[in-house]
Amino acid sequence: MYRPTDQDAAPGSPSAPSHDLRHHGDAEVRDDGAELTDLAVNVRTNTPPSWLREHIAGSLGSLAAYPDGRDARAAVARRHGLAPERVLLTAGAAEAFVLLARALRAERPVVVHPQFTEPEAALRDAGHEVRRVLLRAEDGFRLDPALVPEDADLVVVGNPTNPTSVLHPAALLAELARPGRTLVVDEAFMDAVPDEREALAGRTDVPGLVVLRSLTKTWGLAGLRIGYVLAAPETIAALERAQPLWPVSTPALAAAEACMTPRALAEADAAARTIAADRAHLLAGLAEFEEVTAVPGAEGPFVLIQVARAAAVRARLRDLGFAVRRGDTFPGLDDTWLRLAVRDRTTTGRLLQALDRALVLAGR
């Protein structure tokens, strides 16, 4: 049951690339947006922490040597209870999407939307014809495995999903696995979920499973570029062959190793619990606006809202000092959607005041 829309082709045929798949939240805060309060990018504020900055700085004395990722790879493997040959370090999760698109021989790839758009962009750039499965707002953007075409040999889904903030049950995602199918689960925001509920990272019993993780969001390392892939050894070997030599820098490797320690994992979980409380505060404030509808059950460090005249509201918020993420570049969404990063209560209070004003101004 492939669900087409006016922005997609007929059922079972490739979808039309009618969205700007290469637009991301950082575009909202470049140049003249640098002084805005940033709610468009989902990187945790006040990061990286001082101890991590100092650890990364300590690696700079080794820059004359070529990067050696063995220790970092082993640290990631230990963190997930896996053998090192099931781990590949990458320059952020975004690189992993490119490697998957280039290295895997998928003939019938499917991307479940709305979600991060780089997987589809990478597949298209590699010459693949991509089909889309569009989850519906009226269903809370919840996954129905029956929507995925049975003949799909590569399926990509986010969990928790950007931009909807929906956390799909791990058991439901595992239902998508099939012999001969690669199931790619983007868990870039899973470390922002307390106890990492519904994570598939570390599982070896799901056939064809590939899990992507990013360290850029929770730890504020978007400028350093570090992430990793967890998969069967043969899949990791294929992806590694598609990588350039020394793809991850020495400082990024140092960061990866440091973020796998018990201290770091405890800090990440504490941050996830703070985010959950701050998100509840944000959602409670948004519920006071009759004009605003938030996607229910948010579990990520961001929320997705629907509001009439969203483009005008976004522009007014910008005038009032806030950058928010437009939603219409995500397949499955239109120009009535906005994504808001979760911030501390003080920032949220200021945002809600600005939103009240923006809604009035946009209605004129």
Side-chain angles (χ1 to χ4, degrees), residues 250-289:
T250 295
L253 293 171
E257 191 172 356
C259 291
M260 298 300 113
T261 63
R263 168 189 175 178
L265 296 177
E267 183 174 325
D269 190 65
R273 296 177 192 281
T274 297
I275 288 169
D278 289 340
R279 183 181 58 241
H281 180 69
L282 171 60
L283 289 170
L286 292 171
E288 297 297 318
F289 296 97

Short mmCIF file of all heavy atoms in Angstrom, two decimals, residues 250-289:
data_model
loop_
_atom_site.label_atom_id
_atom_site.label_comp_id
_atom_site.label_asym_id
_atom_site.label_seq_id
_atom_site.Cartn_x
_atom_site.Cartn_y
_atom_site.Cartn_z
N THR A 250 41.51 12.95 13.41
CA THR A 250 41.98 12.58 14.74
C THR A 250 41.16 13.25 15.85
O THR A 250 40.77 12.58 16.82
CB THR A 250 43.47 12.93 14.88
OG1 THR A 250 44.22 12.10 13.98
CG2 THR A 250 43.97 12.69 16.31
N PRO A 251 40.84 14.55 15.77
CA PRO A 251 39.98 15.14 16.83
C PRO A 251 38.60 14.49 16.88
O PRO A 251 38.04 14.32 17.98
CB PRO A 251 39.91 16.62 16.43
CG PRO A 251 41.15 16.86 15.64
CD PRO A 251 41.38 15.60 14.87
N ALA A 252 38.04 14.14 15.73
CA ALA A 252 36.73 13.49 15.73
C ALA A 252 36.80 12.10 16.35
O ALA A 252 35.89 11.67 17.07
CB ALA A 252 36.18 13.41 14.31
N LEU A 253 37.88 11.38 16.08
CA LEU A 253 38.06 10.07 16.70
C LEU A 253 38.19 10.20 18.22
O LEU A 253 37.64 9.38 18.98
CB LEU A 253 39.30 9.39 16.12
CG LEU A 253 39.22 8.98 14.65
CD1 LEU A 253 40.58 8.53 14.15
CD2 LEU A 253 38.17 7.89 14.43
N ALA A 254 38.93 11.21 18.67
CA ALA A 254 39.06 11.44 20.10
C ALA A 254 37.69 11.73 20.73
O ALA A 254 37.38 11.24 21.83
CB ALA A 254 40.02 12.60 20.36
N ALA A 255 36.87 12.51 20.03
CA ALA A 255 35.53 12.81 20.53
C ALA A 255 34.68 11.55 20.62
O ALA A 255 33.96 11.32 21.61
CB ALA A 255 34.86 13.84 19.64
N ALA A 256 34.74 10.71 19.59
CA ALA A 256 33.95 9.49 19.58
C ALA A 256 34.31 8.59 20.76
O ALA A 256 33.43 8.07 21.46
CB ALA A 256 34.16 8.74 18.27
N GLU A 257 35.59 8.43 21.00
CA GLU A 257 36.03 7.58 22.11
C GLU A 257 35.55 8.16 23.45
O GLU A 257 35.06 7.43 24.32
CB GLU A 257 37.55 7.45 22.08
CG GLU A 257 38.09 6.40 23.02
CD GLU A 257 39.57 6.15 22.83
OE1 GLU A 257 40.18 6.75 21.92
OE2 GLU A 257 40.13 5.35 23.61
N ALA A 258 35.67 9.48 23.60
CA ALA A 258 35.27 10.11 24.86
C ALA A 258 33.78 10.00 25.11
O ALA A 258 33.33 9.86 26.26
CB ALA A 258 35.71 11.58 24.86
N CYS A 259 32.98 10.06 24.06
CA CYS A 259 31.52 10.03 24.21
C CYS A 259 30.98 8.64 24.48
O CYS A 259 29.77 8.49 24.72
CB CYS A 259 30.86 10.62 22.96
SG CYS A 259 31.11 12.39 22.75
N MET A 260 31.84 7.64 24.46
CA MET A 260 31.42 6.27 24.76
C MET A 260 31.67 5.87 26.21
O MET A 260 31.33 4.77 26.62
CB MET A 260 32.16 5.29 23.84
CG MET A 260 31.89 5.46 22.36
SD MET A 260 30.16 5.26 21.88
CE MET A 260 29.77 6.96 21.37
N THR A 261 32.28 6.74 27.00
CA THR A 261 32.62 6.39 28.37
C THR A 261 31.37 6.36 29.25
O THR A 261 30.35 7.01 28.94
CB THR A 261 33.61 7.40 28.96
OG1 THR A 261 32.98 8.69 29.01
CG2 THR A 261 34.88 7.48 28.12
N PRO A 262 31.40 5.63 30.36
CA PRO A 262 30.24 5.63 31.28
C PRO A 262 29.86 7.03 31.74
O PRO A 262 28.66 7.34 31.86
CB PRO A 262 30.73 4.76 32.45
CG PRO A 262 31.73 3.84 31.83
CD PRO A 262 32.43 4.66 30.78
N ARG A 263 30.85 7.89 31.97
CA ARG A 263 30.55 9.26 32.40
C ARG A 263 29.75 9.98 31.32
O ARG A 263 28.75 10.66 31.61
CB ARG A 263 31.85 10.01 32.67
CG ARG A 263 31.67 11.51 32.83
CD ARG A 263 33.00 12.23 32.88
NE ARG A 263 32.82 13.68 32.93
CZ ARG A 263 33.81 14.55 33.01
NH1 ARG A 263 35.07 14.13 33.06
NH2 ARG A 263 33.57 15.85 33.04
N ALA A 264 30.18 9.85 30.08
CA ALA A 264 29.50 10.54 28.99
C ALA A 264 28.10 9.99 28.79
O ALA A 264 27.14 10.75 28.56
CB ALA A 264 30.31 10.42 27.70
N LEU A 265 27.94 8.68 28.85
CA LEU A 265 26.62 8.08 28.66
C LEU A 265 25.66 8.52 29.76
O LEU A 265 24.48 8.77 29.50
CB LEU A 265 26.75 6.56 28.62
CG LEU A 265 27.56 5.99 27.45
CD1 LEU A 265 27.66 4.48 27.56
CD2 LEU A 265 26.95 6.40 26.12
N ALA A 266 26.15 8.62 30.98
CA ALA A 266 25.31 9.10 32.08
C ALA A 266 24.91 10.55 31.87
O ALA A 266 23.76 10.95 32.13
CB ALA A 266 26.04 8.93 33.41
N GLU A 267 25.86 11.36 31.38
CA GLU A 267 25.55 12.76 31.12
C GLU A 267 24.53 12.89 30.00
O GLU A 267 23.61 13.73 30.06
CB GLU A 267 26.83 13.51 30.75
CG GLU A 267 26.62 15.00 30.52
CD GLU A 267 27.92 15.75 30.31
OE1 GLU A 267 28.94 15.39 30.94
OE2 GLU A 267 27.92 16.72 29.51
N ALA A 268 24.66 12.07 28.96
CA ALA A 268 23.70 12.11 27.85
C ALA A 268 22.31 11.73 28.31
O ALA A 268 21.32 12.35 27.90
CB ALA A 268 24.17 11.19 26.73
N ASP A 269 22.21 10.73 29.18
CA ASP A 269 20.90 10.32 29.65
C ASP A 269 20.28 11.40 30.54
O ASP A 269 19.07 11.66 30.46
CB ASP A 269 21.00 9.00 30.42
CG ASP A 269 19.63 8.43 30.74
OD1 ASP A 269 18.91 8.06 29.79
OD2 ASP A 269 19.27 8.36 31.93
N ALA A 270 21.10 12.05 31.36
CA ALA A 270 20.59 13.15 32.18
C ALA A 270 20.09 14.29 31.29
O ALA A 270 19.04 14.90 31.56
CB ALA A 270 21.68 13.65 33.13
N ALA A 271 20.84 14.57 30.21
CA ALA A 271 20.41 15.62 29.28
C ALA A 271 19.10 15.23 28.61
O ALA A 271 18.22 16.08 28.39
CB ALA A 271 21.50 15.85 28.23
N ALA A 272 18.94 13.94 28.27
CA ALA A 272 17.71 13.48 27.64
C ALA A 272 16.51 13.70 28.56
O ALA A 272 15.42 14.06 28.12
CB ALA A 272 17.84 12.01 27.26
N ARG A 273 16.71 13.48 29.85
CA ARG A 273 15.61 13.67 30.80
C ARG A 273 15.27 15.16 30.97
O ARG A 273 14.09 15.52 31.12
CB ARG A 273 15.96 13.02 32.14
CG ARG A 273 16.11 11.53 32.01
CD ARG A 273 16.52 10.82 33.29
NE ARG A 273 16.91 9.45 32.98
CZ ARG A 273 16.04 8.45 32.77
NH1 ARG A 273 14.74 8.69 32.85
NH2 ARG A 273 16.47 7.24 32.48
N THR A 274 16.28 16.00 30.91
CA THR A 274 16.03 17.44 30.96
C THR A 274 15.27 17.87 29.71
O THR A 274 14.32 18.68 29.78
CB THR A 274 17.36 18.20 31.06
OG1 THR A 274 18.01 17.85 32.28
CG2 THR A 274 17.13 19.71 31.03
N ILE A 275 15.68 17.36 28.55
CA ILE A 275 14.99 17.68 27.30
C ILE A 275 13.53 17.25 27.37
O ILE A 275 12.63 17.98 26.93
CB ILE A 275 15.71 17.01 26.12
CG1 ILE A 275 17.04 17.70 25.85
CG2 ILE A 275 14.84 17.03 24.86
CD1 ILE A 275 17.95 16.96 24.89
N ALA A 276 13.27 16.08 27.94
CA ALA A 276 11.89 15.60 28.03
C ALA A 276 11.03 16.55 28.87
O ALA A 276 9.88 16.86 28.51
CB ALA A 276 11.87 14.19 28.63
N ALA A 277 11.59 17.03 29.98
CA ALA A 277 10.85 17.98 30.82
C ALA A 277 10.65 19.31 30.10
O ALA A 277 9.56 19.90 30.15
CB ALA A 277 11.59 18.18 32.14
N ASP A 278 11.69 19.78 29.43
CA ASP A 278 11.58 21.05 28.70
C ASP A 278 10.60 20.93 27.52
O ASP A 278 9.88 21.88 27.20
CB ASP A 278 12.96 21.48 28.19
CG ASP A 278 13.88 21.94 29.30
OD1 ASP A 278 13.37 22.28 30.38
OD2 ASP A 278 15.10 21.96 29.08
N ARG A 279 10.57 19.76 26.89
CA ARG A 279 9.63 19.54 25.79
C ARG A 279 8.19 19.56 26.29
O ARG A 279 7.30 20.13 25.65
CB ARG A 279 9.95 18.21 25.10
CG ARG A 279 9.05 17.94 23.88
CD ARG A 279 9.38 16.60 23.23
NE ARG A 279 9.22 15.51 24.17
CZ ARG A 279 10.21 14.69 24.55
NH1 ARG A 279 11.42 14.83 24.06
NH2 ARG A 279 9.99 13.72 25.42
N ALA A 280 7.95 18.94 27.44
CA ALA A 280 6.60 18.96 28.01
C ALA A 280 6.16 20.38 28.30
O ALA A 280 4.99 20.75 28.08
CB ALA A 280 6.57 18.11 29.28
N HIS A 281 7.09 21.20 28.79
CA HIS A 281 6.78 22.61 29.06
C HIS A 281 6.44 23.34 27.77
O HIS A 281 5.46 24.13 27.72
CB HIS A 281 7.96 23.26 29.75
CG HIS A 281 7.78 24.70 30.08
ND1 HIS A 281 6.89 25.14 31.04
CD2 HIS A 281 8.35 25.82 29.55
CE1 HIS A 281 6.92 26.46 31.11
NE2 HIS A 281 7.80 26.90 30.22
N LEU A 282 7.20 23.09 26.72
CA LEU A 282 6.93 23.73 25.42
C LEU A 282 5.57 23.31 24.88
O LEU A 282 4.78 24.14 24.43
CB LEU A 282 8.04 23.36 24.44
CG LEU A 282 7.83 23.74 22.97
CD1 LEU A 282 7.67 25.26 22.81
CD2 LEU A 282 8.99 23.23 22.11
N LEU A 283 5.29 22.00 24.93
CA LEU A 283 4.02 21.51 24.38
C LEU A 283 2.83 22.05 25.17
O LEU A 283 1.78 22.36 24.58
CB LEU A 283 4.01 19.98 24.39
CG LEU A 283 4.94 19.32 23.37
CD1 LEU A 283 5.04 17.83 23.63
CD2 LEU A 283 4.46 19.60 21.95
N ALA A 284 3.00 22.19 26.48
CA ALA A 284 1.92 22.76 27.29
C ALA A 284 1.65 24.20 26.88
O ALA A 284 0.49 24.64 26.80
CB ALA A 284 2.27 22.67 28.77
N GLY A 285 2.71 24.95 26.62
CA GLY A 285 2.54 26.33 26.17
C GLY A 285 1.91 26.43 24.80
O GLY A 285 1.02 27.27 24.56
N LEU A 286 2.32 25.55 23.89
CA LEU A 286 1.75 25.57 22.54
C LEU A 286 0.27 25.20 22.56
O LEU A 286 -0.51 25.68 21.72
CB LEU A 286 2.52 24.59 21.65
CG LEU A 286 3.96 24.97 21.31
CD1 LEU A 286 4.66 23.81 20.61
CD2 LEU A 286 4.01 26.23 20.44
N ALA A 287 -0.13 24.36 23.50
CA ALA A 287 -1.53 23.94 23.59
C ALA A 287 -2.46 25.10 23.93
O ALA A 287 -3.69 24.99 23.74
CB ALA A 287 -1.67 22.82 24.62
N GLU A 288 -1.92 26.20 24.43
CA GLU A 288 -2.75 27.36 24.76
C GLU A 288 -3.18 28.14 23.52
O GLU A 288 -4.05 29.00 23.61
CB GLU A 288 -1.96 28.29 25.70
CG GLU A 288 -1.61 27.66 27.05
CD GLU A 288 -2.86 27.31 27.84
OE1 GLU A 288 -3.80 28.13 27.85
OE2 GLU A 288 -2.88 26.22 28.43
N PHE A 289 -2.56 27.85 22.38
CA PHE A 289 -2.89 28.57 21.15
C PHE A 289 -3.87 27.75 20.32
O PHE A 289 -3.56 26.63 19.89
CB PHE A 289 -1.63 28.82 20.32
CG PHE A 289 -0.62 29.71 20.98
CD1 PHE A 289 0.46 29.18 21.67
CD2 PHE A 289 -0.73 31.09 20.89
CE1 PHE A 289 1.39 29.99 22.28
CE2 PHE A 289 0.19 31.92 21.50
CZ PHE A 289 1.26 31.37 22.20
#
